[in-house]
Structure formats: C-alpha cells, structure tokens
Amino acid sequence: MNRRLKIAFFLLVLFGIAAIALLFIFGDRIAVLNPQGMIGEKQRDLLFVATILMLIVVIPVFALTFGIAWKYRAEKKSTYHPDWSHSFLAEAVWWGVPCLIIIVLGAYTWKGCHELDPFKPIESDRKPLTIQVVALQWKWLFIYPEQNIATVNFIQFPEQVPVNFEITSDAPMNSFWIPQLGGQVYAMPGMRSKLHLVANVPGDFRGASANISGAGFSGMTFIAKATSQEEFDQWVESVKESPSQLSKDEYIQLHKPSQYNPVAYYSSGETNLFNWIMMKYMSPTTP
Amino acid sequence: MFGRLTLNAFKHDLIEASVGVSILLALIAIVFLLTYYKRWRWLWYDWLTSVDHKKIAQMYLIVSAAMLFKGVVDAGMMRAQQLLSVGESFGYLSTPHYQQLFTAHGTTMIFFVAMGVISAMINYLVPLQIGARDVAFPFLNSLSFWLFASGNALLIASLMVGNFSGTGWVSYPPLSNLEYSPGVGVDYWIWSVQISGAGTLLTGINFLVTILKMRCPGMTLMRMPMFVWASLVTLVLVVFAFPILTATAGMLTLDRTIGTHFFTSGFGGNPMMYVNLIWAWGHPEVYILILPAFGIYSEIVPVFSQKKLFGYVSMVWAIVAIAFLAFLVWLHHFFTMGAGPNVNAFFGFMTMLISVPTGVKIFNWLFTMFRGRIVFTTPMLWFLCFVVVFTIGGMDGVLMSVAPVDFQVHNSLFLIAHFHSVIIGGVLFGFFCGFTYWFPKIYGFKLNEKWGEYAVFCWFFGFLFAFIPLYVLGLMGATRRLDHYDASTGWFPLFAIAAFGFLVICAGIGFQVLQLYISFKERAQNRDTTGDPWNGRTLEWSTASPPPLYNFAVIPEVHDRDGFWAMKHSKTHKEKPKYEDIHMPKNTGQGFNIGVLSFFFGFAVIWYIWWLALLSIIGIFACLFYRLFDRHTETYVSVEEVERIEAQRGKV
Amino acid sequence: MTQHEDFPDTHHEMTHNTFFGFWIYLMTDFILFATLFASYAVLRDATFGGPGGKELFNLPAVLLETLILSTSGFTCGLATLAIPVDNKKKVIAWYAVTFLLGLWFFLQVCTEFGHLIQDGNTWQKSAFLSAYFTLVGTHALHILLGLVFIVVFLIQVTRRGLIPVTKRRLTCLSMFWFFSYVVWIFMYAIVYLMGVT
C-alpha cells in the first residue's frame, strides 16, 4: 500500500513538473500569457497577481495534504490525539488569512475592473480608429464608418493606434474576441457593446466568436492584422477600389446564413447601416 | 392528429440510429429477462411502488448510473471529434450532431447524474443519520423520483424521436428562440429539465421538513452529522433556486409555443434577462451539487483518521456561509455581457469571498487527519484526490472571478477545465467516496479494495491528462463548443493528450465495473454482519446491513455529536429493547403513474399533440385525486415481526 | 386494513409536518411569482411602440375583482376558523361562498383577457403584454386550482366529516387561498396601480 502511494505521489509530482515545464517552453504560443496588446498585457498581469495571491493558500494546502497524510498514516504510530477537535488559533488563521488575501485581491479587482472596463477608451496621443462590428450568421461584418469601407472576416489597423470597436449582432448572441490583444465582450442584437483594444506590435492576430450562435459557429474566425500606418492607408485605398458596395440590399443578402465565409471587401456602404441594424430590434417601424 | 410529429422524426444518421437501436435492444433485453425470471410482480410491488427511502435511493442510483454511462459516451465522442476535426478534415460528426452532444452531455451530467446521485445519497442517509424511520412525506418521495425518471426518459426519447437541443446546456436565447431553433430540440431540453426539476423541488421540501422536524430525541441541530447539515443547507438552496428555473424555463416555453416575447430579439424581448434569471438559478445549482459532497467528506475523514471531526462549529458556519453567498454571485457567469465595472467588481468580490469558507473546510479536514491514525481505504484515497483536483479548480475559479481576467478566459476551454475540476474532483469523487463507504450498509458486503484503488488511480491521472491540457488550450484562445479548428492554431497535441486522458478515465470506469462484479462474487467473504464495518461514528452504523424496512426497531436517543460513537463507548448498561408495533406507509403506484403521465405530457407539448397533453394533465389530476381519496395509505409492522427481524440480525 | 386514525401517536406530528411542508411549498411558489414579477418589472416599458398599462387597464373593473377576492379571503378565514371547533355546516357554507367569489374573480379575469385579445392586444404583440398575461394568468391558474380543490375537499368533508385528515387538507387549502390573495395584492399594486402612472 505504502509503495503504491509513493509511486502515485512520485507520478503526480512528475506530472506537475512536466506541465509547468511545458508551459514555460511553449509559453510564447499561449495567447493569454503572451499578449501583443496593452489591454491583454494588463489582464495577464492581473492573472499573475491573482495566481500568486492564491498560491499563498494553495501551496500550504498541498504541502499539508501530503505531509499530514504521510506522517499520520496508521502504521507509523505517530502522536495520536483522537479527541482533539478544536483550536481557536488554527481557526483564526484559516478564516483570517484568506480573508486578508481576498481583500487584497478585491482591491486589485476593483482597480482592474475600472481600468480595463471594455467600454473605457484607451488613453493615447494617437487618434483612435473606429470599427463597427456586426455578428452575423456565421461571419463577422466590419464597418469602418470614417473610411467608408466594410469587410467580412478581416480587419486591419495600424499598430499602437487605439481601436474603438462598437459591437452588435444581427444574429444570436456572439462574443467578440481577439485573445492576443485582449478580452472579449458579448455581441447582442439590439445592443451596442464596446471594446477598446490596441496592438503593441504588427502581426496577424486570430479572432473568434466565443459564444455559440448556431451551426456555423466554429467557422466564425477572422484575422485582425496590425500594420504600420502607411501599410494601413494603402490597404484602405485598395479596399476602396473593390467593386462591391454594401448597400442595404447587399447587406440583406449578406445577412442570409452562410458558413466559413472567405474574406470580402466593400468599397462603400449605406450610411448609418450599423445604427439601422441595431434599431431594427428596438421599434416596429423599419425604414 | 400527431401535431408536428411525422415519420421524419425517426430518421437519423448512422451513429444516432445505432444509439437508438442499442437502447431499444437494451430495453427489450430487460423485458425479456424480467419475463423469463418471472420478476414482474417483484419489480412492481417491491420497487416501482415503493415509498421506502432506501429503495427510492437505489432507484436513483440505477438511473444515474445509466445516465453517467451515456454522458461519458457523449464525452468520448466529443473528444474523438476534436481529435479528428482539424484543418481540412471535419471529423466524423455533423455539426448539429456535435452540438446536440455537448448540450446533452452537460444536461445529462448536471441534471441527471449529479442531481441523481445527490438525491440518492440524501434519500438513503438522512433518515438513518437522524434516527428517523422514513421521510416526512413518503408518497411525495416516490413521486419525486418518478418525475426525475420521467425527465430522464424524455432526454432518452430525444435520441430516437426527433433530436435534442444544440444550444448548450443552459439554452441562451436568442439562439434557443423559435427563430433560430425551430425544431423540437430545445423543447425536449425544457421539458426534461422542468419535469425533473419539479421532482427535485419536491425532494427539497420533503427533506427540509424531515430534517427540521423528525430528528430523534436529543439530536439538536448542533449534534447533527455534517452530512445532514450539508443536506439541510443544500435543500434550502434547492427550495430557493428551483422555482426560478421553473419560471424561466416556463417563460422560454411560452416564447416557443404561444409566441410571447420574453426573450426574443425584437418586440421588446430581453435575452439578457434570461441570462440573469438562468444563472440566478444556475449558480445555486452548482452549490447544490458540491455541498452534499462536502458533507460526505466530513463523514469519512474522521472515520478513516480515527479521530473526531476538527472544528465542527466552524464547519457548520462555513457551509452556511457558502450557501448564503451562493445567491450573491450569479453575474460572474457573464462578466462579458457589459454590466459595467462597479457591478462586475462587486460580483467578482463576492465570488472570491466564497473561497474563504471553502478553504476553511479543507483546512478542517486536513486537521482532522492531523494527529489521527489514517487508514488509506478507497474512500480516503478518493478524498485525497478530491483535495488535489478541487483545489486546482477552486484556485482557477478565483482567478476567473477577477473580471478583467475573465474577459480573456470566458467561454474558453479554461472555463471548461475549471468546472470539470470542481465537479469531477468535488462532486463525482465525493459520490464515489460515499458510495464505496456506504456500500456495505446498503448491500451488506464490502467492496473489493484492490480494484477500488486501481479505479482511483486511473480516474485521478486520467482526469489530469484529460483536463490540464484544456487549461492551456483555453489560454491559447480555444473557445468551448467548437467542432472544428485550424491546424495553424497548434492545438492538436493538447487535444491528443486530452483524448488519452479520457481513455485512462474509461479504464478507471472499467475497474469500477469490475470491482462491482468481483465484490458481488466474493460477497460471502466480505459480508458485514455487525452493521458497523468501518467503526463508524453516526447512527446509520447502528442498524443492520442492510437496515430493515423501519430502520430502527427502537428510535434512538442521542446525547452528543457522533451519537453512535458515544453509544458504543458509553458505560451504561444496555437493557433489552422494548419493541412496539411500527407504523409505516403503504406502497403506492400513483407516483409511478404520475411519472409516466408527465412523460406523455412533456412529449405531447414538445410535438404539439395537444389532445394528448390535455389527456395527460387530466390523468395526472385523476391520479392525485385517487391518492387523495385513498383511505388506506398506511400499515404497520407488528411487534412479533419486529422481534423476528431483529433476531435475524447478524445471521447470514 | 388499518386506517391512519388507528395510530394517534404519529397523527399529531403528521399534521405539523404537513403544515410546515405546505408552508415551504408556498414559499417556493412565492419565489416563482417573484421571478415573474421581476420579469414584468424589466419588461414593463417594452411595449415595442404599442399600448402600455395606461392605455389598457380598466382600473374600476380591477378594483371590483380585487374587492371580490378580498371578500373571498375574508370568507375563507371564517371557514378556517370553523375548522377547529368542528362546525361542519359553517365550514362547508363559508367555503362554498369563497368558491363563488373566487369563481367570479376568475371569470372576470378571463373576461378582461378576452377584451384585450379581441382588440388585438395579445401576448404576441409585445414583451410588456407577454409579461402581463403571464403574471396575471399564472395567478388566475392558481385561483382555478384553488377552486378545484375547494370542490374536492368539500366532497371529502361531506362524506367523511371533519376528521383529522380533512381538517388538515382544508387548512392547507386556506393557506393556499390566503397566499394567492396576498400575491394578488402585490399584483394590484405593482401591475395595475403603478402601471397607469
């Protein structure tokens, strides 16, 4: 019995070491731990703070579990106090210390929630770029109101420029997420959610929907590409040369269910299309 | 005539069809065996009509075991799909089928496995541990079980007639609205959950009255076993939370059948309200799952440390605190819905707070072991595995309670790994622990230790291989419920490790089945003749194994916590007990009948067969009235019979 | 076969257990209503451009049905008081009056619904109307159930007299009736009175 327990413990420790080692070796492939945007970085830092605070409790728990189980196994005949069942000091410690840890973590949470509120614009001396996002079945429509272009399943923006996403849905609830840049926010019909992200460096970042919205949900991935300002301007020009235009009729066609849509570009569109999409759900009068 | 039920509903692809056929074959085999061995009368009179809490508990176990098997198969099929559906390949399952799989997996595991085993444990143990002969309302108990079984049956029916929901186990609108899910799937979900939920609510009421009103003399609240405290607090959660589910699922049904606009996208409907309501039920629900498991651990750790439970009062306050806080955290399931920083911070803080009393419990268990004499029986091994797995799960729960962190892991596989850690590590391991511990009481012989150890080993390491990779996948940006992903994501190796872990878990299940078989074969050698095979501390161990119909020939009187322990070690002279006639409720078939009729009611509403729905409702009322007009609902066990049964005790 | 009355030792606890259990059930029903109330509160202004409470509610009629239901609560109380003094005639008489008043209430609610539906203001028109019909309709269903059980239990009292089991059932019925009445008062205030401001 004891031998079997020793083997199991040894295997467990081995597993733990392997897991942590692999985590470090492949860390740069882990989007949340290796973000490429300021918001993602702050969220990761919060994750680390919370982890360390929790380890103050978790490590003693593991140490005590294995230590006590081993030391007080019946064969060993250690000190035996079968009726000792109360200690004010012990209770004070394990009610009190975790409370203190939680208060500290709570303070970090309060601060973090306000600082990283998805609706809060990013402070920067660069002029932000607005992209309106519409979740459809089963693709993402992106409208650039200032540039008067629109795209499907692809966005491009300059690095280090804050991007103000305004998000809605003309489909079931979805969730707009670019893990390498920062956290997600729900896309809901009749509602306007906001998300503010910024890319620190150029790159191609994978985006997805994180809330199931039907049969084609797995195909709702898109690329968010951060480039230099010049490359971005060139790209905008090239999109403007696209023959397709996102009129209301074209939108109604686009709205029809389809899966794994390829990237599409639209050179101009219906003005205020985003508002029209949102307001459809709010009142019976449809323009 | 048959509403929207057409022959089309029976058409399925090969995999679904083979599942349906297997179930039918299994049912036919059961019918054949019952006929061949002439056991129909036995089945009806001894089991289906029973109002005995011990029999009802075993029926819950059987149904839950069957559903556990189904849920594990669902999981295996999902693991296989995610292993195969990479890049150019789209695996072997169609997307609608895959979506039904994860919806059914979640619904089955939570409603029918976890709630089922908890109902089983509470049913079997609470009356015995409080020194009572039965529950407050035995007929209601039977009815509760049959409503539970009826809900299960509806989910099984969806495998063969029509299809199940594909919207996830909590069925968020707008996806679950008629517009986006026009078929019968969501309706099957609604009715299987509603009917079994009604059963759970009745169980809640029943056992609340039982615990608060039927404890034996001398058993004050602070002398109750911890499992009874855990049950009490769980039942309070049930009674407060389940009506919310009834109302919410009810509103969704109205949206889907008569065209109301509670949760539609237009016409003023509010899908966000559904999210709030369903989690106002859903969060207490997960505490309903875990608290009885905590109660089980509080029972076994003292017995196998041969030491009193540490900090009983603290443990009671901790469990009460957890239950209270359980109602104040529901928004953490949707931090990303955009409620604003103040709201998110508040709910995040309340969520973190729950970790304090939970940690207190773990420390108290560890200090029960401290300076004890620990015996590593299978239940104790399950407990140790629980501490490791549940602590991991609890820790990342706190990580996610920091809302901005949650923005990066919400609805990812990190979340999936978290809740599987706490549910498998906490609830399932707790059930296995309790099942192994109380098995001798229920069936009269012990389970084989060796095979039990192998099962623990496989489950523990299988779990680690199956779910630790999922934490990493979540951090890599893998969302949940995906039936396909690009090869460029680099996720494949981790899915492969997870699939390996699943196979190891299957080996663990195999060992458990083997353990049952071998233990049954060896039962003569492992018979429990004393009723107290583990040197237990609570009252159930003072009865025979298995206990007689009436539990206690003489209602015990306790003067201490660990009432039975005190009795065993007291120096007072034990006089010969004085027996009396024992008043017991009679069996009745109305619980079964109402269960069957409610199945037909649910089926009828799902398929819009309105005449059948109306007939079923009338039938249910007819059964209720039959019961109300039944004057002969009780019987008694005569003194002679009691003497005879008690004299048999200990003899094979 | 023996009857329950042969076991007076457990009858007393059984009554208390039944009352306590029924009370807990009523609390769960209260939470169900609370959920519907909460939904109504959220959806109150979601008329989607259509009529709201101000346009639709006929306050004088609602006042009448409220007074009728209040009276039925009073008569139910009189019936309940007659139970422990074993006054079978009074019990049956006052429950019968309660039944008639409850039936009036139920029919009046149905009429109110009928008018709304006739004018095209059905539950399909807006979320507000969905919430309204569901909340008031669920209450009306409770009243209907109460009416059914008044009949059933009065039949039992007529046949078996005021024995412990029938007294217990009637007391539970009264608890149910008072509960339904209290829920209606909330509804009157929150839905109707607040709805027209």
Side-chain angles (χ1 to χ4, degrees):
Chain A
M1 179 70 227
N2 286 340
R3 218 186 102 236
R4 285 209 285 261
L5 282 177
K6 275 191 198 161
I7 294 174
F9 179 72
F10 173 71
L11 282 172
L12 178 61
V13 170
L14 198 64
F15 183 92
I17 293 173
I20 295 174
L22 285 170
L23 204 65
F24 271 98
I25 295 171
F26 295 104
D28 55 345
R29 292 194 211 171
I30 300 178
V32 174
L33 299 182
N34 189 31
Q36 307 296 308
M38 184 193 75
I39 299 289
E41 283 174 342
K42 291 197 170 156
Q43 289 164 336
R44 177 206 51 196
D45 294 342
L46 257 181
L47 173 67
F48 285 165
V49 164
T51 305
I52 292 175
L53 284 172
M54 286 307 291
L55 285 176
I56 299 176
V57 175
V58 167
I59 291 178
V61 165
F62 283 144
L64 280 173
T65 307
F66 297 123
I68 292 177
W70 192 248
K71 180 161 185 219
Y72 292 98
R73 63 195 193 283
E75 304 85 44
K76 197 155 178 291
K77 301 235 184 307
S78 311
T79 329
Y80 181 42
H81 289 156
D83 291 313
W84 179 58
S85 62
H86 180 68
S87 160
F88 180 75
L89 177 64
E91 298 284 355
V93 168
W94 60 58
W95 277 99
V97 172
C99 272
L100 289 173
I101 295 176
I102 293 304
I103 290 174
V104 172
L105 188 58
Y108 274 105
T109 304
W110 178 266
K111 186 161 162 289
C113 283
H114 282 88
E115 199 183 329
L116 294 166
D117 176 18
F119 282 65
K120 181 166 165 282
I122 294 174
E123 280 169 24
S124 164
D125 45 7
R126 306 282 291 272
K127 181 171 171 295
L129 172 70
T130 301
I131 301 181
Q132 293 169 332
V133 181
V134 182
L136 297 169
Q137 286 191 298
W138 284 282
K139 55 259 178 199
W140 293 96
L141 170 65
F142 300 102
I143 303 171
Y144 288 68
E146 291 148 2
Q147 287 77 10
N148 207 12
I149 56 172
T151 60
V152 169
N153 284 346
F154 179 86
I155 42 174
Q156 189 162 329
F157 43 84
E159 50 152 340
Q160 295 182 27
V161 165
V163 184
N164 297 355
F165 291 102
E166 295 181 358
I167 303 161
T168 189
S169 172
D170 201 356
M173 225 185 259
N174 278 278
S175 186
F176 180 73
W177 191 29
I178 309 173
Q180 285 173 289
L181 294 184
Q184 62 190 278
V185 91
Y186 278 173
M188 298 173 282
M191 307 288 298
R192 186 206 312 258
S193 324
K194 291 193 183 178
L195 189 62
H196 295 83
L197 296 173
V198 65
N200 291 353
V201 292
D204 285 11
F205 308 121
R206 183 178 172 275
S209 173
N211 192 60
I212 184 175
S213 52
F217 156 72
S218 303
M220 280 182 78
T221 52
F222 62 94
I223 297 290
K225 192 180 173 95
T227 61
S228 64
Q229 183 69 51
E230 301 80 46
E231 280 177 70
F232 172 69
D233 294 331
Q234 282 167 8
W235 174 79
V236 170
E237 290 310 311
S238 73
V239 173
K240 280 186 174 160
E241 282 159 24
S242 163
S244 324
Q245 303 204 332
L246 194 60
S247 61
K248 205 169 273 171
D249 287 327
E250 181 64 33
Y251 173 77
I252 291 170
Q253 291 304 312
L254 187 63
H255 182 256
K256 293 194 178 134
S258 58
Q259 299 187 27
Y260 292 94
N261 285 43
V263 171
Y265 291 156
Y266 299 93
S267 58
S268 71
E270 179 85 22
T271 38
N272 267 327
L273 180 65
F274 184 83
N275 279 345
W276 175 78
I277 293 169
M278 225 176 47
M279 294 308 291
K280 268 201 305 180
Y281 294 98
M282 311 269 253
S283 78
T285 49
T286 28
Chain B
M1 165 78 167
F2 289 111
R4 52 179 175 166
L5 176 60
T6 62
L7 280 175
N8 235 350
F10 293 88
K11 253 183 24 184
H12 290 106
D13 66 41
L14 189 61
I15 298 174
E16 291 168 340
S18 55
V19 170
V21 165
S22 330
I23 294 174
L24 283 173
L25 286 175
L27 285 172
I28 291 172
I30 293 173
V31 167
F32 173 75
L33 284 169
L34 284 170
T35 315
Y36 184 77
Y37 287 107
K38 296 196 175 60
R39 291 292 217 165
W40 284 105
R41 285 186 72 85
W42 166 81
L43 183 70
W44 179 257
Y45 285 109
D46 277 15
W47 288 93
L48 302 188
T49 57
S50 174
V51 294
D52 176 11
H53 67 98
K54 301 182 287 297
K55 291 238 165 85
I56 290 174
Q58 291 175 71
M59 292 197 283
Y60 270 111
L61 281 178
I62 292 171
V63 173
S64 297
M67 295 309 269
L68 177 62
F69 175 71
K70 180 197 175 295
V72 169
V73 170
D74 289 339
M77 289 175 73
M78 287 193 282
R79 275 285 136 261
Q81 171 71 5
Q82 291 194 316
L83 197 59
L84 300 170
S85 181
V86 192
E88 295 299 308
S89 163
F90 279 79
Y92 70 103
L93 289 171
S94 67
T95 304
H97 190 172
Y98 184 80
Q99 297 185 331
Q100 285 175 54
L101 274 178
F102 60 68
T103 309
H105 171 79
T107 309
T108 301
M109 290 304 203
I110 295 200
F111 283 97
F112 302 134
V113 177
M115 294 300 297
V117 301
I118 281 160
S119 300
M121 304 253 87
I122 293 180
N123 254 285
Y124 201 93
L125 294 168
V126 165
L128 286 169
Q129 288 199 327
I130 63 173
R133 292 205 165 114
D134 206 322
V135 297
F137 309 111
F139 166 65
L140 211 64
N141 206 11
S142 165
L143 177 60
S144 301
F145 169 71
W146 286 111
L147 289 174
F148 169 77
S150 173
N152 276 259
L154 271 175
L155 188 140
I156 298 294
S158 76
L159 290 171
M160 298 179 282
V161 187
N163 51 267
F164 197 63
S165 166
T167 59
W169 80 278
V170 274
S171 291
Y172 278 7
L175 183 61
S176 58
N177 283 341
L178 211 53
E179 186 189 351
Y180 294 111
S181 292
V184 292
V186 177
D187 300 299
Y188 264 116
W189 177 84
I190 290 174
W191 287 104
S192 58
V193 152
Q194 279 283 47
I195 294 175
S196 82
T200 306
L201 192 57
L202 293 176
T203 298
I205 298 172
N206 206 347
F207 280 87
L208 258 182
V209 179
T210 307
I211 295 175
L212 291 174
K213 292 285 192 183
M214 290 174 69
R215 280 165 284 133
C216 63
M219 189 179 280
T220 59
L221 284 176
M222 293 307 270
R223 286 183 188 165
M224 296 196 305
M226 274 310 297
F227 180 75
V228 181
W229 263 113
S231 302
L232 177 63
V233 155
T234 302
L235 298 163
V236 171
L237 285 176
V238 165
V239 150
F240 274 88
F242 269 80
I244 302 176
L245 175 68
T246 311
T248 309
M251 288 188 272
L252 187 62
T253 307
L254 291 176
D255 271 7
R256 290 180 60 85
T257 43
I258 66 170
T260 50
H261 290 291
F262 286 103
F263 309 121
T264 54
S265 310
F267 289 88
N270 197 335
M272 295 194 297
M273 187 172 75
Y274 180 93
V275 175
N276 272 277
L277 288 174
I278 203 71
W279 285 115
W281 162 80
H283 194 81
E285 162 70 3
V286 301
Y287 283 95
I288 290 167
L289 298 184
I290 193 66
L291 293 181
F294 286 169
I296 293 175
Y297 296 126
S298 291
E299 294 294 319
I300 70 116
V301 173
V303 169
F304 295 111
S305 306
Q306 303 185 72
K307 185 164 165 280
K308 227 175 181 178
L309 179 69
F310 198 89
Y312 178 93
V313 175
S314 181
M315 290 291 250
V316 169
W317 281 108
I319 216 167
V320 168
I322 294 173
F324 176 71
L325 287 170
F327 282 101
L328 298 174
V329 301
W330 78 88
L331 193 127
H332 71 227
H333 296 271
F334 46 96
F335 279 133
T336 54
M337 206 157 78
N342 291 336
V343 173
N344 279 353
F346 170 77
F347 279 97
F349 183 70
M350 298 311 286
T351 307
M352 285 173 216
L353 262 184
I354 291 198
S355 68
V356 175
T358 313
V360 162
K361 295 189 83 67
I362 295 189
F363 283 115
N364 274 299
W365 288 317
L366 293 176
F367 267 63
T368 306
M369 291 160 64
F370 182 69
R371 293 196 179 152
R373 288 258 162 94
I374 305 168
V375 185
F376 291 112
T377 54
T378 308
M380 200 58 186
L381 292 175
W382 281 120
F383 169 72
L384 291 172
C385 294
F386 148 75
V387 174
V388 175
V389 174
F390 185 83
T391 304
I392 296 173
M395 172 170 148
D396 50 74
V398 175
L399 296 182
M400 289 194 295
S401 70
V402 182
V405 175
D406 185 68
F407 295 158
Q408 279 281 54
V409 293
H410 176 65
N411 268 354
S412 71
L413 291 179
F414 189 91
L415 169 69
I416 270 62
H418 158 72
F419 66 67
H420 280 89
S421 300
V422 289
I423 294 186
I424 294 182
V427 182
L428 198 61
F429 286 2
F431 165 64
F432 291 152
C433 172
F435 181 72
T436 316
Y437 177 59
W438 278 296
F439 188 90
K441 176 55 58 187
I442 304 176
Y443 293 106
F445 60 94
K446 272 181 167 178
L447 284 170
N448 181 297
E449 276 292 314
K450 182 176 78 161
W451 296 104
E453 278 168 28
Y454 293 162
V456 175
F457 184 88
C458 286
W459 263 100
F460 180 64
F461 283 101
F463 173 85
L464 291 176
F465 280 107
F467 288 99
I468 300 296
L470 259 54
Y471 282 114
V472 181
L473 279 169
L475 292 174
M476 289 175 83
T479 52
R480 68 190 294 193
R481 299 171 171 158
L482 289 177
D483 64 301
H484 176 264
Y485 55 95
D486 286 331
S488 60
T489 54
W491 296 340
F492 177 77
L494 290 165
F495 277 118
I497 300 174
F500 168 72
F502 173 80
L503 291 174
V504 177
I505 291 179
C506 286
I509 297 176
F511 284 129
Q512 287 172 308
V513 173
L514 197 58
Q515 180 194 36
L516 282 169
Y517 174 71
I518 289 176
S519 307
F520 182 75
K521 275 185 67 182
E522 294 175 344
R523 64 192 185 280
Q525 293 119 293
N526 294 323
R527 206 165 280 283
D528 170 26
T529 48
T530 61
D532 185 17
W534 307 114
N535 198 14
R537 308 174 85 92
T538 40
L539 283 176
E540 74 271 25
W541 302 108
S542 72
T543 62
S545 293
L549 169 70
Y550 45 77
N551 296 345
F552 301 96
V554 177
I555 299 285
E557 194 174 319
V558 299
H559 307 284
D560 211 344
R561 273 170 218 160
D562 289 347
F564 180 53
W565 188 263
M567 279 179 201
K568 280 196 286 191
H569 293 93
S570 80
K571 302 277 193 297
T572 55
H573 172 63
K574 294 188 179 69
E575 327 134 353
K576 185 176 178 335
K578 188 171 169 305
Y579 299 139
E580 290 178 338
D581 287 345
I582 297 180
H583 176 195
M584 294 298 291
K586 267 176 75 176
N587 285 359
T588 169
Q590 298 317 315
F592 175 81
N593 293 342
I594 294 177
V596 170
L597 285 165
S598 55
F599 170 84
F600 282 117
F601 176 73
F603 189 85
V605 176
I606 290 167
W607 290 102
Y608 299 168
I609 311 175
W610 304 119
W611 59 265
L612 181 59
L614 186 63
L615 271 181
S616 310
I617 286 272
I618 293 173
I620 292 173
F621 273 99
C623 292
L624 277 172
F625 293 154
Y626 180 90
R627 174 74 188 175
L628 284 172
F629 281 87
D630 188 352
R631 298 191 195 194
H632 303 299
T633 57
E634 274 129 25
T635 180
Y636 72 100
V637 184
S638 66
V639 176
E640 296 80 30
E641 184 69 12
V642 174
E643 274 171 7
R644 190 188 64 79
I645 293 173
E646 293 299 306
Q648 290 280 341
R649 191 177 155 162
K651 304 191 182 119
V652 177
Chain C
M1 273 292 141
T2 51
Q3 291 188 186
H4 172 63
E5 282 66 46
D6 292 353
F7 295 96
D9 56 310
T10 50
H11 140 71
H12 195 64
E13 294 104 64
M14 209 166 142
T15 303
H16 283 295
N17 288 355
T18 306
F19 291 159
F20 184 51
F22 197 77
W23 174 253
I24 297 178
Y25 152 68
L26 286 178
M27 293 302 99
T28 68
D29 217 357
F30 193 71
I31 293 175
L32 186 119
F33 272 108
T35 310
L36 294 176
F37 268 105
S39 306
Y40 177 82
V42 170
L43 298 175
R44 202 158 77 177
D45 296 320
T47 57
F48 202 56
K54 213 165 172 181
E55 293 83 21
L56 295 173
F57 295 154
N58 178 358
L59 277 196
V62 178
L63 178 62
L64 175 63
E65 65 195 7
T66 306
L67 289 173
I68 299 272
L69 196 67
S70 304
T71 313
S72 81
F74 178 68
T75 57
C76 184
L78 290 174
T80 315
L81 286 172
I83 296 175
V85 296
D86 288 322
N87 192 333
K88 185 169 154 183
K89 279 213 173 77
K90 250 192 182 165
V91 166
I92 294 180
W94 284 118
Y95 272 120
V97 174
T98 308
F99 176 86
L100 290 171
L101 293 168
L103 185 63
W104 175 301
F105 175 88
F106 181 75
L107 291 174
Q108 199 180 335
V109 170
C110 289
T111 320
E112 187 189 332
F113 279 6
H115 287 150
L116 285 171
I117 294 171
Q118 254 182 340
D119 293 338
N121 292 314
T122 66
W123 51 83
Q124 298 184 346
K125 195 160 171 180
S126 69
F128 157 73
L129 280 164
S130 302
Y132 169 76
F133 272 99
T134 305
L135 186 55
V136 177
T138 305
H139 178 265
L141 270 175
H142 277 72
I143 295 293
L144 181 65
L145 264 174
L147 294 174
V148 167
F149 278 100
I150 291 179
V151 170
V152 171
F153 291 153
L154 284 186
I155 292 175
Q156 293 198 319
V157 169
T158 315
R159 287 174 57 186
R160 298 178 69 184
L162 283 173
I163 56 175
V165 60
T166 53
K167 289 208 269 193
R168 196 162 58 227
R169 288 173 183 176
L170 284 174
T171 311
C172 287
L173 176 62
S174 297
M175 284 163 70
F176 183 81
W177 198 262
F178 295 138
F179 164 78
S180 302
Y181 166 62
V182 167
V183 172
W184 178 257
I185 296 304
F186 277 104
M187 227 169 274
Y188 180 57
I190 294 174
V191 175
Y192 292 103
L193 294 182
M194 286 169 66
V196 297
T197 52

